[in-house]
Amino acid sequence: MRVLNIVVPAELLARWADWYAPDTQPFLVDARLAETVGVAADPTAPPPELRDTYETYGADVARIWLSEAEFGRLPRPHRAALVRAQVTLGRGIVPSVTAWAPVLGDAVRAQADGYRFVWWPSLLRGHEARVLTEYVEEGRRPSRHDEVPAAVWAAAARTLPGARALAGTFAAASGPNCFGTVMAAAGVAGAGTVWMQREPFEDWLAGVTVPGGRDDEPGTVLVWRSPDGLVQHAAVTLGGGWALHKPSQGWMSPTKVLTVTDVKRSARQPGRRLHRYAIGA
């Protein structure tokens, strides 16, 4: 199976399914709703993969945890209230019944209020490839690693010995991010498998680069900083107009190759400024 022009092994697809539609999942609630459904709020933080699936970043809202069986035993009005609250409180993955009823049938119409539903393993089973491909590809550009000429890869390898192995891959889990990806491309062992923080990235940047560099040459680190000077995103050029980056730490975000122009477009946000650093100059 290919997603964003990247081969996804069967074992990784199975993990995606578990993260996208886990048997036990968090529901955001206020105190009144928790009392209504009769389930106590649980402060247990979601694992990184579920945090990224449900986009509960810094959510200052109580949550309860329900399995598919527990959710199914609730009266339908309570299920409907829970599903509606996920939309109101900003939890991710609450699709419309209209979009999926032709595929999934009456099960999604009857699950909650008839307008929105949540994914469970029983609903996803048999539809994994379609559902997960649509989810991961929505709003994301495909990787163009297979378009990079061999000569460009060969020239880049002198400065970026790890780049080619990273290009066009999905991480095994949530965590690996843009900073670690750049460092791993430059040959830092283990950097591509962890959630690299700003401080070690800045230390590495200060130790192996100098300000400057050209977008059409390999080894120019593109760094976007917010007005307070904090680094917000990073990518690295491969030469020939190509660049490597990982848009986020989420499991659904691959390490991919785009044109330098497209990388700059995707990283552009109000207030951010682009800085360039040359590796080994």
Side-chain angles (χ1 to χ4, degrees), residues 1 38 52 151 255 266 270:
M1 175 172 128
D52 293 333
T255 300
S266 68

Side-chain angles (χ1 to χ4, degrees), residues 13 16-17 20 127-137 251:
L13 178 63
W16 284 7
Y20 186 81
H127 305 286
E128 292 90 345
R130 172 179 175 174
V131 173
L132 291 165
T133 297
E134 289 188 13
Y135 170 68
V136 173
E137 290 191 340
W251 58 264

Side-chain angles (χ1 to χ4, degrees), residues 2-272:
R2 278 187 176 267
V3 180
L4 295 172
N5 194 35
I6 297 169
V7 174
V8 180
E11 60 271 21
L12 182 57
L13 178 63
R15 290 201 296 274
W16 284 7
D18 288 341
W19 299 330
Y20 186 81
D23 183 65
T24 300
Q25 60 184 257
F27 289 82
L28 303 182
V29 294
D30 57 25
R32 183 175 181 181
L33 181 55
E35 183 179 359
T36 296
V37 299
V39 180
D42 185 338
T44 303
E49 291 76 25
L50 298 196
R51 174 204 61 206
D52 293 333
T53 296
Y54 297 121
E55 302 174 9
T56 56
Y57 309 111
D60 189 22
V61 182
R63 65 178 65 90
I64 61 174
W65 290 83
L66 293 171
S67 69
E68 182 173 6
E70 291 166 337
F71 179 83
R73 286 195 293 268
L74 293 174
R76 185 173 180 182
H78 292 178
R79 300 197 305 267
L82 271 175
V83 172
R84 285 195 299 269
Q86 303 322 292
V87 178
T88 302
L89 296 174
R91 200 199 84 164
I93 315 297
V94 195
S96 76
V97 167
T98 300
W100 286 100
V103 177
L104 302 174
D106 290 338
V108 289
R109 295 189 181 95
Q111 186 196 91
D113 63 0
Y115 297 98
R116 295 277 183 166
F117 72 99
V118 295
W119 285 101
W120 294 106
S122 62
L123 291 175
L124 185 61
R125 195 169 300 119
H127 305 286
E128 292 90 345
R130 172 179 175 174
V131 173
L132 291 165
T133 297
E134 289 188 13
Y135 170 68
V136 173
E137 290 191 340
E138 184 178 3
R140 296 183 175 93
R141 295 178 174 90
S143 179
R144 299 176 63 182
H145 55 282
D146 53 359
E147 299 178 43
V148 179
V152 171
W153 284 122
R158 292 190 287 271
T159 307
L160 303 167
R164 193 165 192 177
L166 286 166
T169 62
F170 283 96
S174 285
N177 62 356
C178 60
F179 307 141
T181 294
V182 171
M183 294 167 65
V188 179
T193 61
V194 299
W195 191 350
M196 188 63 64
Q197 300 300 305
R198 288 188 174 100
E199 292 79 6
F201 176 73
E202 292 280 23
D203 290 344
W204 173 82
L205 203 63
V208 304
T209 73
V210 296
R214 293 167 51 97
D215 290 357
D216 59 349
E217 294 179 348
T220 298
V221 182
L222 307 175
V223 174
W224 285 264
R225 297 185 184 277
S226 50
D228 57 9
L230 291 177
V231 58
Q232 300 297 332
H233 186 59
V236 66
T237 62
L238 301 172
W242 299 100
L244 178 79
H245 85 141
K246 189 175 191 297
S248 83
Q249 85 294 330
W251 58 264
M252 68 295 291
S253 177
T255 300
K256 58 186 175 182
V257 173
L258 299 174
T259 65
V260 174
T261 298
D262 279 343
V263 168
K264 289 193 288 190
R265 283 183 182 136
S266 68
R268 187 178 298 139
Q269 288 190 17
R272 285 186 181 177

